[in-house]
Amino acid sequence: MAVLAASAVLAESGSNPDVELLYDINGLAKAAPHWFDRVMEFVGEYGLPVAMVLLILGCWLSVRRRGGREAAPAVAALVWAPLAAALAVVVNAPIRNFVERPRPFVDHQGLDVLIAGKSDFSFCSDHATITMAMAVGLFVANRRFGLAGIAIALLEGFCRVYMGVHYPTDVVGGFALGTAVALLLSPLASALLTPLMKAIERSPRVGWLVRARSAPGDHDGTVLSGGRRATGAGTGDKDLAA
């Protein structure tokens, strides 16, 4: 918390790089057409978080289709991604109340604020925290999908500053918090969720949530849904869901 709070101090003066970057990025909104600002408003508030969820679902479908021995650990990692985001937001609540940084438009004039009604504290950005936590959790499961998720999270952070509702350090703090929660608790989450996913995989009714019945991994010698035992060589896939 001390590291996160230290970055908040940068925004307390009007003559620092944090505020200057805020005006530079938000100034793009003033120069942009009205329709583009409306697009950025929707993308930054709703579109990118939804895109992150869809990316996780896409990775889940890929994991199910590929199957193999790593299906259950990969699905466990994917389940952890949204759980990490939810937990990070819970952790952020006392941080916000401790730092008590007002929104940038409260202390600085001339900003083009695209979304009205933001009256809570600014540090850390919930949107940045959520998207980065999900992106890092996704990266643990699959590097290719995870890199795409990190790109979405970075774009989300840019949008929050562009919209005039967060300082750049609000976004950086959110990225740090989301990454810390997703990574530090990932081993514990894997230890708890992987056995659960393996149990679900063996179920004849809900095993499809972990492994498609026709997945190539059905021939790796493991017990499949419904109690059938497959024969043959495994896929040899060492990444969780790569």
Side-chain angles (χ1 to χ4, degrees), residues 134-227:
M134 287 196 289
V136 173
L138 181 59
F139 185 82
V140 171
N142 182 288
R143 293 179 182 178
R144 179 167 55 90
F145 279 89
L147 288 175
I150 291 173
I152 291 176
L154 293 175
L155 181 57
E156 176 66 36
F158 176 84
C159 287
R160 302 311 288 178
V161 181
Y162 181 95
M163 293 156 60
V165 295
H166 281 293
Y167 293 98
T169 47
D170 294 339
V171 170
V172 173
F175 286 164
L177 178 59
T179 299
V181 170
L183 280 184
L184 294 180
L185 296 180
S186 178
L188 176 61
S190 178
L192 295 175
L193 292 173
T194 299
L196 176 60
M197 294 303 109
K198 288 182 178 179
I200 292 175
E201 183 181 16
R202 291 191 296 267
S203 171
R205 292 189 177 182
V206 294
W208 59 270
L209 289 171
V210 176
R211 185 200 299 225
R213 298 186 185 279
S214 60
D218 285 355
H219 304 289
D220 62 1
T222 60
V223 178
L224 307 181
S225 300

Side-chain angles (χ1 to χ4, degrees), residues 59-60 62-80 136-145 186-187 190 194 198 210 235-242:
C59 186
W60 169 66
S62 176
V63 169
R64 288 181 64 251
R65 184 170 57 252
R66 182 169 284 110
R69 295 181 179 178
E70 297 300 329
V75 173
L78 292 175
V79 172
W80 168 237
V136 173
L138 181 59
F139 185 82
V140 171
N142 182 288
R143 293 179 182 178
R144 179 167 55 90
F145 279 89
S186 178
S190 178
T194 299
K198 288 182 178 179
V210 176
T235 61
D237 194 356
K238 296 184 190 247
D239 198 3
L240 285 179

Side-chain angles (χ1 to χ4, degrees), residues 58-131:
C59 186
W60 169 66
L61 292 174
S62 176
V63 169
R64 288 181 64 251
R65 184 170 57 252
R66 182 169 284 110
R69 295 181 179 178
E70 297 300 329
V75 173
L78 292 175
V79 172
W80 168 237
L83 292 179
L87 180 58
V89 170
V90 173
V91 174
N92 190 31
I95 294 176
R96 280 193 172 208
N97 292 331
F98 175 77
V99 177
E100 293 186 342
R101 177 194 286 181
R103 295 280 181 169
F105 51 79
V106 174
D107 294 333
H108 304 283
Q109 304 299 317
L111 294 173
D112 190 4
V113 183
L114 302 187
I115 296 183
K118 297 287 185 180
S119 58
D120 55 341
F121 294 126
S122 185
F123 185 91
C124 302
S125 166
D126 275 339
H127 280 72
T129 301
I130 290 171
T131 52

